[in-house]
Amino acid sequence: METIRDMLWLEQLEPRFSALFYKVIEFCLSPKTFEELDIEIMSSPEMATPVQSTAAILEWLEECGGLAVTPAQEEAPKTWQATNAGIAHLKRRADKLNKVKSENEKIISEILMFCRNSRRLTELEQAFPSRDNEPRVGYYILELERAGAVEWRNGWTTTEQGWRFVKAIV
């Protein structure tokens, strides 16, 4: 079941955890123990009010092919690591942000800079009023969220990935 399609299916099934799935896969580019993953997952903004356990998140990512498990051996603990499908999914998301960025570099960098502090959509609409033949700011926020550049933390907030793109643009 190691396909990007399965990762997309998981995102649609559990949209609340979509950003967390990417973070966990990226965190697991090198093998991680359950303890390391539990700290990383539970400290994520998506888990501020946890409704799922670390074990459930890991199980979902295993089932859809984003993570692989190496069983515990004599003195080595059980570990999780990103699969080729998981890495391809990260790349797909980065490619999506690159596409959005290349088409709208100026407005994207301005929105990401503005969202260094959490911003509500009404604040964004006031700061970036729509003009003729241009998408509304909500369109950009949706695309940036899908690409992992912003996430909801009591307002739209630029992520680490978003900041890397801002630095690359500026």
Side-chain angles (χ1 to χ4, degrees), residues 126-157:
Q126 290 171 354
F128 302 97
S130 61
R131 297 182 188 99
D132 293 335
N133 299 323
E134 287 185 6
R136 296 173 54 112
V137 72
Y139 162 80
Y140 294 110
I141 290 296
L142 178 63
E143 292 300 316
L144 289 169
E145 180 186 26
R146 287 179 179 159
V150 296
E151 63 187 9
W152 183 261
R153 295 186 205 157
N154 293 324
W156 293 109
T157 308

Side-chain angles (χ1 to χ4, degrees), residues 61-80:
L61 288 168
E62 287 173 50
E63 287 177 4
C64 75
L67 293 179
V69 181
T70 302
Q73 298 173 357
E74 289 183 25
E75 293 187 28
K78 181 177 182 178
T79 59
W80 285 259

